């Protein structure tokens, strides 16, 4: 009886909220000889849409889990053009096999600039819904709400690739690759027929570059091998723009692979590479410019940004972000800092495995701190 009484007390506390929403409408309908009552799960579409438009994507995801009525696609507000929503999410993941057909999943999404918000739980617990391939896999690229995972096969005989969308839990399996690789990326949303998946491997003696590509519906990889007579240095980063994958070797050697002509060519002179150099380069494309950002892992107090000069085929120091916000990590990119995000203008945020928190750098006062 005590438990039943507590439930009733909770119901009494909730009822006035529902009655308040409908009170005036109910009175008006009574005067006309009609009566209407609505629950929170059956709000009018215009009211529910107005509510959804005023909350961030993090809260929308939680709202859609309330009931079926709030999950209606009509209320899934598009947010690609909202500046505050283009900032990245941080994803933590771990999948452990605990039996032959069970996997323990731990996958969460965090919004680093959303105060007092806990993580969005993607998966948490024991599952048997086809997560065996996730065990031991690592993320190698992320774009368009998808994460590209790779997993080395047993005895080192090739690599398997798959894509995972943490919001929808959709999975796309790619053809197996019968070799190892150094970097991987993709051009468009994986559901697009224009999407090209790109994998590059450099021979141990730096005498050949092997590039594998495949499309969304391809059953196998196309292999292209390019012999080189110069030591380019290790492949460090790759970025896609307008039909080309740009590849950074060493610290400043830039090359490109055309997905249309299937050609590989150098854009800069080959620069000597110091194996003991402490700077980590990150390649990205922003507003028509190809940029490389250097961070000194030992000093941790400054970032240097260079843009590629197409006329001189060389790198030029860039002294300002022009009210952009720069994010470095598994996938590096810039976003315009406007509206609610104006306080993040001209700042760099860096997520690296060596840090427990996000490192931020302010270009105006040259200050470094952990976010």
């Amino acid at each position: 009886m005590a438990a039943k009484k507590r439930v009733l007390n909770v119901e009494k506390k909730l009822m006035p909220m529902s009655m308040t929403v409908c009170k005036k409408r109910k009175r008006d309908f009574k005067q006309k000889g009609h009566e209407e009552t609505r629950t929170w799960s059956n709000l009018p579409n215009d009211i529910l849409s107005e509510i959804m438009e005023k909350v961030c994507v993090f809260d929308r995801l939680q709202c859609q889990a309330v009931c079926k009525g709030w999950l209606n696609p009509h209320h899934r507000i598009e947010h690609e053009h909202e500046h505050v929503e283009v900032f990245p999410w941080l994803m933590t993941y771990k999948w452990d096999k605990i039996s032959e057909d069970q996997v323990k999943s731990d996958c969460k999404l965090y919004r680093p600039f959303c105060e007092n918000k806990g993580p969005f739980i993607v998966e948490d617990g024991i599952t048997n819904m086809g997560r065996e391939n996730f065990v031991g896999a690592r993320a190698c690229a992320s774009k368009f709400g998808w994460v590209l995972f790779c997993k080395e096969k047993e005895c080192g005989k090739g690599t398997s690739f798959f894509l995972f969308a943490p919001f929808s839990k959709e999975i796309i399996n790619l053809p197996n690759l019968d070799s190892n690789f150094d970097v991987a990326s993709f051009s468009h949303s994986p559901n697009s027929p224009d999407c090209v998946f790109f994998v590059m491997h450099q021979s141990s003696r730096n005498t050949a570059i092997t590039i594998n590509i495949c499309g969304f519906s391809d059953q196998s990889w196309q292999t292209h091998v390019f012999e080189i007579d110069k030591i380019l240095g290790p492949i460090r980063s790759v970025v896609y723009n307008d039909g080309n994958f740009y590849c950074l070797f060493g610290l400043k050697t830039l090359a490109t692979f055309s997905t249309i002509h299937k050609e590989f060519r150098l854009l800069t002179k080959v620069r000597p590479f110091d194996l003991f150099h402490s700077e980590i380069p990150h390649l990205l494309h922003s507003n028509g410019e190809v940029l490389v950002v250097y961070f000194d892992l030992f000093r941790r107090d400054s970032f240097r940004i260079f843009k590629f000069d197409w006329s001189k085929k060389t790198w030029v120091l860039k002294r300002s972000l022009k009210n952009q916000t720069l994010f470095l990590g598994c996938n590096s990119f810039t976003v315009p800092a406007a509206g609610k995000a104006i306080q993040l203008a001209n700042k760099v945020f860096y997520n690296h495995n060596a840090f427990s928190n996000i490192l931020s750098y302010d270009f105006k006062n040259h200050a470094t701190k952990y976010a």
Side-chain angles (χ1 to χ4, degrees), residues 332-351:
S332 301
F333 57 94
T334 62
V335 297
K340 298 179 181 179
I342 191 64
Q343 70 273 15
L344 302 180
N346 302 307
K347 291 185 178 181
V348 179
F349 293 91
Y350 189 27
N351 180 35

Side-chain angles (χ1 to χ4, degrees), residues 133-172:
N133 200 38
F134 284 55
V135 178
R138 65 178 178 88
C140 50
S142 62
K143 294 180 184 178
F144 313 109
W146 290 85
V147 182
L148 176 63
F149 282 92
C150 64
K151 182 178 180 179
E152 186 177 336
K153 291 184 178 180
E154 295 181 3
C155 302
K157 297 180 180 180
T159 310
S160 62
F161 293 91
F162 64 91
L163 294 112
F164 177 59
F167 290 109
S168 64
K169 299 185 182 181
E170 187 178 355
I171 300 173
I172 297 177

Side-chain angles (χ1 to χ4, degrees), residues 73-85:
H74 175 76
H75 308 303
R76 296 180 184 179
I77 312 301
E78 296 294 333
H79 54 268
E80 283 80 0
H81 302 294
E82 299 176 18
H83 295 296
V84 71
E85 301 295 2

Side-chain angles (χ1 to χ4, degrees), residues 83-110:
H83 295 296
V84 71
E85 301 295 2
V86 297
F87 286 164
W89 295 66
L90 291 179
M91 188 178 87
T92 61
Y93 61 93
K94 186 178 182 181
W95 288 277
D96 293 319
K97 189 172 183 178
I98 59 175
S99 67
E100 287 298 323
D101 58 350
Q102 289 186 325
V103 173
K104 183 178 180 181
S105 299
D106 183 6
C107 183
K108 300 181 179 67
L109 292 171
Y110 296 84

Side-chain angles (χ1 to χ4, degrees), residues 310-325:
W310 290 95
S311 61
K312 299 179 180 180
K313 296 293 189 292
T314 187
W315 296 100
V316 179
L317 183 64
K318 188 177 177 69
R319 301 185 182 278
S320 172
L321 286 177
K322 297 180 180 179
N323 289 329
Q324 298 278 311
T325 304

Side-chain angles (χ1 to χ4, degrees), residues 89 123 189 302:
W89 295 66
E123 294 181 354
S189 174
S302 65

Side-chain angles (χ1 to χ4, degrees), residues 35 40 43 71 88 129 173 213 256 260 283 290 334 337 350 363:
E35 183 173 337
W40 282 106
L43 289 176
L71 185 61
M129 55 178 188
N173 291 306
I213 60 173
T256 181
I260 299 175
L283 192 67
V290 177
T334 62
Y350 189 27
F363 257 84

Side-chain angles (χ1 to χ4, degrees), residues 33 49 58 65 71 155 161 176 180 192 213 220 226 230 288 321 325 328 343 358 362:
S49 294
F58 188 94
L71 185 61
C155 302
F161 293 91
N176 291 330
N180 296 324
S192 169
I213 60 173
S220 61
F226 303 93
K230 299 177 181 179
L321 286 177
T325 304
L328 300 178
Q343 70 273 15
I358 301 174
D362 192 324

